[in-house]
């Protein structure tokens, strides 16, 4: 098991010795940080929110007639409505915690491979990470 900490979260990585992929847990302290964007071309992610809630960004970028077309949508994960979100290869994804102390568990189908992590900047998809007051 590996431990990684930065200003966004503490992470336990590869916590079970599974033959394929790895299982990770992120303890997210801040609701101010946006952890986005990246995609994988080979790996599928499976996310579940164990505590708190997340606004999950889900985006694609396609080249049409030489021009890039971006599409972005948001999905919400919460411990109050447990569900697993499957993020297939080719989908840019990221998140923002909506509550301090949010815990995200995720299974990825491949061991960490930095050559399969492709990044984009926050704002590249004209997305709005704010949440409306209701």
């Amino acid at each position: 098991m590996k431990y990684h900490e930065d200003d966004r979260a503490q992470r336990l990585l590869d916590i079970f010795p599974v033959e394929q992929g790895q299982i990770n847990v992120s303890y997210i302290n801040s609701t101010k940080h946006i952890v986005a964007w990246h995609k994988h071309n080979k790996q599928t992610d499976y996310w579940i929110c164990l505590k708190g809630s997340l606004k999950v960004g889900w985006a694609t970028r396609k080249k049409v007639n030489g021009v890039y077309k971006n599409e972005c949508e948001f999905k919400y994960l919460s411990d109050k409505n447990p569900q697993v979100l499957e993020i297939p290869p080719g989908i840019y994804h990221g998140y923002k915690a909506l509550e301090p102390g949010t815990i995200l568990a995720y299974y990825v189908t491949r061991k960490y491979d930095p050559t399969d992590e492709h990044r984009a900047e926050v704002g590249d998809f004209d997305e709005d990470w704010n949440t409306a007051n209701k």
Side-chain angles (χ1 to χ4, degrees):
M1 179 169 57
K2 299 173 188 124
Y3 178 79
H4 175 77
E5 181 174 7
D6 61 25
D7 58 342
R8 300 169 298 172
Q10 295 86 33
R11 293 174 185 85
L12 295 174
L13 305 172
D14 210 3
I15 58 177
F16 297 109
V18 292
E19 197 170 309
Q20 294 284 333
Q22 64 186 56
I23 299 167
N24 306 314
V25 176
S26 289
Y27 300 89
I28 307 158
N29 299 321
S30 173
T31 58
K32 296 178 181 159
H33 288 94
I34 299 165
V35 182
W37 292 100
H38 76 279
K39 72 171 183 168
H40 311 280
N41 291 328
K42 301 173 186 171
Q43 170 181 303
T44 299
D45 288 22
Y46 295 90
W47 291 12
I48 185 168
C49 183
L50 300 178
K51 179 182 177 195
S53 57
L54 295 162
K55 182 175 184 174
V56 179
W58 178 285
T60 57
R61 174 178 290 151
K62 296 177 183 165
K63 200 171 192 176
V64 179
N65 297 327
V67 177
Y68 283 106
K69 180 180 179 192
N70 296 327
E71 293 183 9
C72 179
E73 65 179 288
F74 290 98
K75 301 170 186 289
Y76 293 86
L77 294 177
S78 168
D79 61 359
K80 291 146 195 75
N81 182 24
Q83 58 185 311
V84 174
L85 177 63
E86 178 181 351
I87 305 169
I91 301 294
Y92 282 93
H93 53 282
Y95 66 81
K96 178 181 179 182
L98 301 177
E99 301 174 50
T102 293
I103 300 173
L104 169 66
Y106 52 107
Y107 169 71
V108 295
T109 57
R110 300 172 62 92
K111 298 287 185 192
Y112 177 69
D113 175 4
T115 66
D116 189 38
E117 189 163 282
H118 309 278
R119 297 200 168 270
E121 296 294 322
V122 172
D124 277 1
F125 297 97
D126 298 321
E127 75 275 8
D128 181 1
W129 286 96
N130 292 315
T131 51
N133 292 326
K134 294 182 180 181

